[in-house]
Amino acid sequence: MSPPRNRHLGGRIVIKYDAVVLSHPKDYVKVSFCLDSLRFLNPPPQNIYVVSPHLLKIDSATCMKDEDAIFVKANDIKYRRKNWIYQQLIKLLQDFTENDLYMCVDSDLIFNRKLTVLKNDNPVFFISNREQRYPPYFAFTRQYLDLERQVPFTFINDFMMFDKNILKKMIPDKRKFVKDINEIVSDECLLSEFETYGNYVVKYFPDYYSMKQTQVLTHGKYLKEDPWTSDEIKRLVKNNSDKDIDLFTVHTWT
């Protein structure tokens, strides 16, 4: 596998990566908190991109609409949960980042303390302390990639570092991948970008990523009953700052 694109500083190779923050309108109130928390990433991303259905205006990031991020449109997805599949395709198929390494972050995630995201110049998989084993995800990897589950834990963790070089091997033909998604995805056979990519890497590139356990705290409210406000999220940031957690989520359930 070819290494990520590098930059040379004083004869020393420096690995660069970008951050891609994906957001839905119900989570727009959280975007600024998520972006501010990226300061805990070590090293910091070289570039920050925010992808959302509407074009947001954020000085610290390059913003774009979902429909401009990849060649696919949400309405091209046949599965009933179009937007859910679509945001996964953005993570897997995008090519707008400057660097081959890029960390996708859901905008309802807030980092709470320093996380070293590269170890010995290689990326890190952050493994959640939450338990999850959803059979339809592994039905997809089995059917599409002839790939069995490689680890006894989940790769789902609200954020992940991807490498375009590996994705090109996993998905050599992006348009065919979308076509295949429309043909095989169902309630019994579902795409999970995190489970698919994580298990593929462990199988075919076992020495490339290292792994680190993360402590995650989940907060959530229902949109119709009690939507999040900026003041509430500010209080969460303050109250969680001295807790033994690496990150916390501010979910909005519909």
Side-chain angles (χ1 to χ4, degrees):
M1 180 192 67
S2 301
R5 285 198 290 264
N6 302 318
R7 293 181 180 273
H8 295 263
L9 293 178
R12 181 170 61 92
I13 294 177
V14 178
I15 306 299
K16 298 288 187 178
Y17 76 99
D18 298 320
V20 179
V21 177
L22 291 93
S23 190
H24 183 274
K26 65 182 174 60
D27 297 320
Y28 286 172
V29 68
K30 310 161 192 175
V31 172
S32 62
F33 297 98
C34 176
L35 293 178
D36 181 64
S37 77
L38 297 182
R39 72 185 189 278
F40 287 116
L41 301 180
N42 178 44
Q46 182 182 11
N47 306 290
I48 300 172
Y49 303 83
V50 175
V51 184
S52 53
H54 308 93
L55 186 62
L56 304 182
K57 294 183 178 180
I58 302 170
D59 292 338
S60 62
T62 298
C63 299
M64 67 181 66
K65 295 172 67 174
D66 288 351
E67 62 188 28
D68 297 323
I70 55 176
F71 63 89
V72 189
K73 302 295 185 275
N75 285 336
D76 295 333
I77 308 302
K78 295 180 180 179
Y79 182 62
R80 58 184 178 82
R81 296 180 63 187
K82 295 177 183 293
N83 291 331
W84 179 61
I85 296 294
Y86 189 55
Q87 60 88 22
Q88 295 188 63
L89 292 180
I90 291 175
K91 295 174 185 176
L92 294 173
L93 304 182
Q94 75 81 22
D95 197 28
F96 55 76
T97 56
E98 179 177 341
N99 293 291
D100 286 345
L101 279 180
Y102 60 98
M103 177 181 286
C104 286
V105 181
D106 293 339
S107 65
D108 60 357
L109 178 158
I110 298 175
F111 293 103
N112 194 61
R113 61 187 176 193
K114 181 178 175 180
L115 284 179
T116 299
V117 301
L118 298 173
K119 182 178 180 181
N120 299 324
D121 291 333
N122 282 353
V124 178
F125 276 138
F126 291 94
I127 308 303
S128 172
N129 58 343
R130 295 171 296 191
E131 294 291 334
Q132 182 163 333
R133 182 170 183 170
Y134 193 49
Y137 295 156
F138 303 106
F140 176 86
T141 60
R142 191 177 302 114
Q143 180 171 339
Y144 190 73
L145 295 171
D146 192 24
L147 177 66
E148 296 293 336
R149 192 181 192 205
Q150 301 296 305
V151 295
F153 50 80
T154 181
F155 281 102
I156 296 173
N157 197 20
D158 303 296
F159 70 110
M160 178 177 278
M161 187 82 82
F162 293 92
D163 188 325
K164 292 181 188 177
N165 296 294
I166 292 179
L167 285 166
K168 287 175 184 176
K169 296 180 181 297
M170 190 178 89
I171 308 172
D173 187 330
K174 294 180 180 181
R175 293 186 182 276
K176 183 178 184 301
F177 181 69
V178 174
K179 180 176 179 292
D180 292 340
I181 289 290
N182 278 332
E183 290 178 354
I184 71 174
V185 164
S186 67
D187 289 346
E188 291 75 38
C189 180
L190 282 172
L191 173 65
S192 165
E193 75 280 46
F194 295 142
E195 297 286 29
T196 302
Y197 183 79
N199 282 278
Y200 183 87
V201 168
V202 171
K203 174 70 173 179
Y204 296 107
F205 301 88
D207 299 321
Y208 184 45
Y209 280 73
S210 59
M211 298 190 189
K212 178 177 173 55
Q213 190 81 25
T214 54
Q215 297 299 315
V216 184
L217 179 63
T218 300
H219 302 279
K221 297 201 298 182
Y222 285 95
L223 180 63
K224 292 183 179 180
E225 297 175 3
D226 187 19
W228 289 100
T229 67
S230 181
D231 286 341
E232 287 177 312
I233 300 173
K234 286 180 182 177
R235 286 194 292 271
L236 282 182
V237 171
K238 180 179 180 180
N239 293 338
N240 287 336
S241 62
D242 60 354
K243 292 183 179 178
D244 183 25
I245 55 172
D246 296 297
L247 58 131
F248 61 93
T249 57
V250 189
H251 290 320
T252 296
W253 299 311
T254 56

